[in-house]
Amino acid sequence: MSDVLEKLASVIESRKTQSADSSYVASLFDKGMDSILKKVGEEAAETIVAAKNDDDAQLVHETADLWFHTLVMLAARGLGPEEVLAELERRFGVSGHDEKAGRDK
């Protein structure tokens, strides 16, 4: 499954240098981090609304949009899914309460 995230991250990275006129992703990068963050926020809100409804297909669709825009956000910071997956893997076997208590304040 992480293969899909890695492939998508690679495509997103390749779009950084394309013309904003020819690529949606390039247009997001061209507009800057504030626009990227706005899209992540919009997609998060749409995902929440979809989760409150009974349409599983819509929830999956909105979650895919959220993940996509989150990958764009990470790429804008020079990060990718591998860092997030490594963090999730690090948390395996650790109680959620213990993990939260161990975070830097």
Side-chain angles (χ1 to χ4, degrees), residues 1-96:
M1 260 189 279
S2 66
D3 233 19
V4 172
L5 293 176
E6 290 168 10
K7 287 177 188 176
L8 184 53
S10 178
V11 169
I12 289 168
E13 193 64 34
S14 73
R15 302 282 165 83
K16 279 184 174 181
T17 57
Q18 291 186 358
S19 165
D21 294 333
S22 67
S23 164
Y24 171 70
V25 172
S27 73
L28 288 173
F29 286 123
D30 191 56
K31 292 175 187 171
M33 185 60 102
D34 285 346
S35 288
I36 294 168
L37 296 176
K38 182 178 177 186
K39 276 307 289 182
V40 171
E42 289 171 7
E43 297 302 341
E46 290 172 6
T47 301
I48 291 166
V49 170
K52 292 186 68 64
N53 296 323
D54 288 333
D55 187 345
D56 289 346
Q58 187 65 28
L59 177 57
V60 168
H61 176 86
E62 295 300 344
T63 301
D65 286 350
L66 176 59
W67 286 14
F68 172 81
H69 287 90
T70 300
L71 287 172
V72 172
M73 176 187 66
L74 288 168
R77 292 283 298 266
L79 301 168
E82 58 276 358
E83 285 89 0
V84 176
L85 293 172
E87 175 61 17
L88 289 170
E89 187 166 354
R90 182 192 69 77
R91 294 179 187 187
F92 269 104
V94 177
S95 150

